[in-house]
Amino acid sequence: MESASKAFHNFKQYNGKDYYCEPACAANTEINYYLHKNKKEKADKISKDIINSKITSYNYETNALLRMKSNYMEYYILDGNYKKAAESAYILEHSGSQAKEFKPWASFMCGYVHSRPSHSLRIYKKHWKECHEEHNPGDRYDSFKYIACFFKGLWKEKSTDTVKLMLDSSFPLYNKENIYNTRNMAEYYYKEAEEIAKKFDKRNGTDKYIKELEMSFANA
């Protein structure tokens, strides 16, 4: 965050005349930064201008409101505020945009798990395979982190420790009975996310990814 603060200072000083950046893009950069700094009141102040259309995007696929909701959904999940996370997830899920950025299915599973666990489970059943086939390590880390939190939340919400899932033999924990223990599923996804987190942190010389994973899982 020390390096981020320096970069953010430079970003704020730059007039941006010789590169393309929408006002909404810049505003969401500030919102994301303040949320990571746990300065939500500053993020909220900027977000009001997006909500009131004082700051807008030039085209729908870079929709300022959807990007803002995505930033807040991630913040609320990390903070354990699942009521607010679900509200952001609903707006994103039902938006008309088909952009991958605004359809983070694993985040939706996690965001809904305490308010709409059955809906979360339906999302997992429909999208689990595409999460496993994700090749981008950053996106894969996010997906597995959120799915780990989803299964942890699911074992809290359900009266049973098992769930029936029609997964195929490509799934690492596949069994012919199609009955899966939610704790085991949470542990599997957590360990997979942890492996990626360790590689990122080793490369970057920080513990950012591990701490983010630990905090998200602890608050699930």
Side-chain angles (χ1 to χ4, degrees):
M1 289 309 300
E2 182 180 350
S3 296
S5 296
K6 292 177 181 177
F8 184 72
H9 173 77
N10 292 336
F11 167 77
K12 291 288 286 182
Q13 300 303 310
Y14 189 54
N15 60 28
K17 290 182 179 179
D18 57 348
Y19 83 112
Y20 176 79
C21 183
E22 297 179 340
C25 174
N28 270 302
T29 296
E30 292 194 51
I31 288 170
N32 196 28
Y33 172 78
Y34 286 131
L35 289 176
H36 275 84
K37 289 280 287 184
N38 204 28
K39 295 183 177 181
K40 185 175 174 293
E41 67 286 348
K42 290 190 175 183
D44 290 346
K45 185 176 181 179
I46 300 169
S47 71
K48 288 180 181 178
D49 286 338
I50 294 177
I51 294 170
N52 296 327
S53 299
K54 291 183 180 180
I55 301 175
T56 59
S57 298
Y58 300 143
N59 65 77
Y60 190 72
E61 289 305 312
T62 57
N63 188 290
L65 180 63
L66 297 184
R67 182 167 288 114
M68 185 197 78
K69 290 297 181 182
S70 181
N71 286 333
Y72 272 91
M73 180 176 63
E74 293 177 5
Y75 168 80
Y76 287 133
I77 289 175
L78 186 65
D79 195 49
N81 189 339
Y82 277 79
K83 180 180 179 181
K84 288 292 187 179
E87 291 174 2
S88 295
Y90 185 88
I91 292 172
L92 289 163
E93 184 186 7
H94 293 89
S95 73
S97 175
Q98 296 304 310
K100 181 180 178 182
E101 176 185 1
F102 304 134
K103 288 293 185 287
W105 297 110
S107 301
F108 297 164
M109 297 171 208
C110 184
Y112 287 133
V113 71
H114 292 296
S115 58
R116 303 173 66 193
S118 295
H119 184 59
S120 288
L121 192 57
R122 286 195 294 272
I123 294 174
Y124 176 79
K125 290 176 179 179
K126 185 175 181 179
H127 295 283
W128 73 269
K129 198 159 191 176
E130 65 191 75
C131 293
H132 279 256
E133 292 175 347
E134 176 59 63
H135 295 298
N136 181 292
D139 290 341
R140 188 177 177 87
Y141 163 77
D142 283 336
S143 291
F144 280 41
K145 173 186 66 179
Y146 290 127
I147 297 175
C149 294
F150 154 68
F151 274 110
K152 181 182 177 182
L154 196 64
W155 91 53
K156 287 183 177 180
E157 296 297 332
K158 294 289 186 180
S159 58
T160 175
D161 288 336
T162 60
V163 62
K164 187 171 184 178
L165 299 168
M166 304 302 290
L167 309 180
D168 63 40
S169 59
S170 67
F171 184 67
L173 302 183
Y174 173 75
N175 68 72
K176 292 181 180 180
E177 291 75 25
N178 299 314
I179 302 297
Y180 295 88
N181 182 280
T182 50
R183 290 176 181 265
N184 290 345
M185 294 287 276
E187 290 173 1
Y188 162 74
Y189 281 104
Y190 185 93
K191 288 178 181 177
E192 290 293 312
E194 186 179 45
E195 285 301 310
I196 301 172
K198 287 178 179 179
K199 291 178 182 178
F200 276 134
D201 285 343
K202 183 178 180 180
R203 180 195 67 181
N204 299 339
T206 70
D207 58 359
K208 180 259 186 189
Y209 283 89
I210 285 292
K211 280 191 172 181
E212 184 182 82
L213 174 63
E214 291 173 346
M215 184 174 176
S216 298
F217 196 72
N219 290 334

